[in-house]
Amino acid sequence: MAVYTEVSFDEARELLRQLNLGELTALRGIEGGIENTNYFVTTEQDGRPADYVLTLFERLTSEQLPFYLHLMKHLAQHGLPVPDPAANRDGDILHTVQGKPAAVVNRLRGHSELAPTPAHCAAVGATLARMHLAARDFAQHQPNLRGLPWWNQTVPVVLPHLSTSQAALIQSELAYQNHVAASSAYAALPRGPVHADLFRDNVLFETGVLTGVFDFYFAGVDSWLFDLAVCLNDWCIDVQAGTHDAARAASLLAAYAAVRPLTAAERQLLPAMLRAGALRFWISRLWDQHLPREAAILKAHDPSHFERVLRERTRHPVTL
Ligand SMILES: Nc1ncnc2c1ncn2[C@@H]1O[C@H](COP(=O)(O)OP(=O)(O)OP(=O)(O)O)[C@@H](O)[C@H]1O
Ligand SMILES: N[C@@H](CCO)C(=O)O
C-alpha cells in the first residue's frame, strides 16, 4: 500500500467522533498494499484502546464503493472473519476525507503467512468456499472491474513498454482468454461475488488459525473458479520460480471442495483460469509500474513475477 493522501490527526479525530468510535490517540500510515491510502488508527473508547483501519480510496469512486463495503458487512454478518465497515449516525458506511471516499473498519488481529504450509492453504480454501456460498444471497451486483473487459482495455496501454517476446505472450494470452470466455464451458461456470485479490498479504492468521480476510476492493461478480485460481497462484507456488506447489494446492483444493465441490466445467477450466489469474496481475503490475502515481509511501509489486507464473502455467498446465 502507500500513503497517497496525507490525513491530519485533527481530520481523523473528527471522522472517528462522527462514527462514535472514541477519541483518537494514534494515527499511523501503512506501507503494505499499493492501491489505496491506509492508516492504522487507535482510539480510546470507554477507557479502553480500540484499533481500526482508515482507508481513503484513491481510484474507486463513491458509486463503485458501496458494493465492496456492503459485501464486507454481509459477509461479517454471515460469520466470516472480515472487516465490518463503521457507520455514522445516519447509517452511512461510506464517508469523505479530504474530498476522497473513505471508510473505517475494525482492525483484524493476526499476521500474514508469507511462507504458508498446506495447513494454512487448507484454511484459506475452506474460508474462500464459505465466502462464495455466504455471498450467494448478497443483493447488490457489480462486475469484477479488473476482469476481461479491463484486460482488453489495458493491454494496449502497457504494450509499448514490453519487449517483443513479452508483447507476443501478453497478446496471445489475451486472445486465448477471450476465446475461453466465449466457450460454453465458461458460461457454465458457477459465479457470484468474489474477492478476486485473495493473496497471502490479504489474509491474517494467529497461532495457526485464520483470523482475517480483508482488502475487498477488487471484489466483484465473477466465476468462483477465477477467485480460486487467483488464490492458488499466490498461495501454492514457489515464489522465486513461479512453479506450482502440488502439495499446497492439493490441500487448498481439498478444503475448498469439502465445503463446495467443484463442477465438471470448473475442473475442465482450472488450467485456463490459472492462466487468467496470472495474466490479470501481470497486467495490473505493468500498469502500476508504467503509469505510476505520486505517493508518500509506496512499495510497488514486480510485474515479472506474474510473467513467470503465466509462462509456467502455460508450459505446465495444472490439471485436476
Ligand atoms: N481490517 C484490517 N485489519 C488489519 N490490518 C489491515 C486491515 N486492512 C488493512 N490492513 C493492513 O493494511 C495493509 C494495506 O491494506 P490493503 O491490502 O487493503 O491495501 P490496498 O492498497 O487497499 O490494497 P492492495 O493490497 O490490493 O494494494 C495490509 O497489508 C494490512 O497490513
Ligand atoms: N495483490 C495485488 C496487488 C493489489 O492488486 C498484487 O500482488 O499485484
Side-chain angles (χ1 to χ4, degrees):
M1 195 284 311
V3 172
Y4 297 98
T5 306
E6 314 242 14
V7 177
S8 73
F9 191 92
D10 290 351
E11 285 169 320
R13 179 173 56 194
E14 178 50 30
L15 175 61
L16 289 151
R17 283 175 178 165
Q18 287 171 18
L19 305 183
N20 198 25
L21 294 179
E23 272 307 294
L24 182 64
T25 56
L27 176 68
R28 176 165 65 87
I30 304 174
E31 183 184 87
I34 56 161
E35 195 57 33
N36 301 299
T37 289
N38 287 291
Y39 283 86
F40 283 131
V41 163
T42 303
T43 69
E44 183 164 308
Q45 223 166 6
D46 309 323
R48 287 196 304 274
D51 291 312
Y52 300 93
V53 172
L54 164 63
T55 300
L56 274 68
F57 300 98
E58 300 291 348
R59 280 184 173 144
L60 291 166
T61 66
S62 49
E63 290 71 35
Q64 294 165 330
L65 281 158
F67 175 86
Y68 309 117
L69 298 176
H70 288 287
L71 175 60
M72 291 157 71
K73 194 161 268 303
H74 178 90
L75 293 172
Q77 287 162 352
H78 279 68
L80 284 138
V82 305
D84 190 353
N88 63 19
R89 293 178 186 84
D90 300 326
D92 302 321
I93 56 177
L94 180 59
H95 315 298
T96 303
V97 175
Q98 290 201 23
K100 295 211 166 144
V104 176
V105 301
N106 49 306
R107 180 176 179 177
L108 299 165
R109 299 169 54 87
H111 58 274
S112 297
E113 284 291 352
L114 299 182
T117 64
H120 292 123
C121 294
V124 171
T127 304
L128 183 66
R130 286 178 54 216
M131 287 200 296
H132 289 164
L133 296 181
R136 280 177 301 184
D137 62 346
F138 180 57
Q140 296 188 29
H141 186 289
Q142 187 164 286
N144 169 5
L145 299 179
R146 290 279 178 97
L148 183 63
W150 186 79
W151 311 344
N152 284 322
Q153 180 190 327
T154 309
V155 162
V157 173
V158 299
L159 213 50
H161 303 279
L162 302 185
S163 68
T164 307
S165 74
Q166 288 174 323
L169 174 62
I170 208 165
Q171 286 177 298
S172 67
E173 186 60 30
L174 184 60
Y176 174 69
Q177 291 303 332
N178 278 282
H179 169 74
V180 168
S183 71
S184 54
Y186 183 83
L189 292 179
R191 57 187 44 239
V194 300
H195 184 285
D197 188 27
L198 199 60
F199 280 53
R200 286 160 292 142
D201 64 1
N202 287 332
V203 179
L204 301 175
F205 284 86
E206 197 165 52
T207 59
V209 175
L210 194 154
T211 49
V213 173
F214 57 86
D215 193 3
F216 282 81
Y217 307 122
F218 286 113
V221 173
D222 206 326
S223 70
W224 287 337
L225 184 66
F226 177 74
D227 212 12
L228 186 52
V230 166
C231 225
L232 287 163
N233 276 346
D234 192 63
W235 288 83
C236 306
I237 63 166
D238 174 310
V239 176
Q240 298 315 317
T243 49
H244 176 66
D245 182 306
R248 280 185 273 158
S251 180
L252 192 149
L253 286 164
Y256 184 98
V259 176
R260 185 189 72 84
L262 297 185
T263 66
E266 290 177 304
R267 302 176 71 82
Q268 177 192 338
L269 285 180
L270 178 64
M273 286 301 104
L274 287 166
R275 290 170 55 169
L279 176 66
R280 175 265 186 251
F281 289 98
W282 185 23
I283 296 170
S284 57
R285 290 187 175 192
L286 287 168
W287 192 53
D288 286 335
Q289 183 179 62
H290 297 296
L291 293 96
R293 290 170 287 165
E294 280 302 309
I297 312 175
L298 179 60
K299 204 169 131 190
H301 296 304
D302 174 10
S304 64
H305 168 69
F306 277 108
E307 177 186 351
R308 209 168 26 251
V309 173
L310 177 57
R311 290 187 192 279
E312 262 301 309
R313 295 294 196 212
T314 307
R315 278 191 206 115
H316 308 293
V318 173
T319 53
L320 284 175

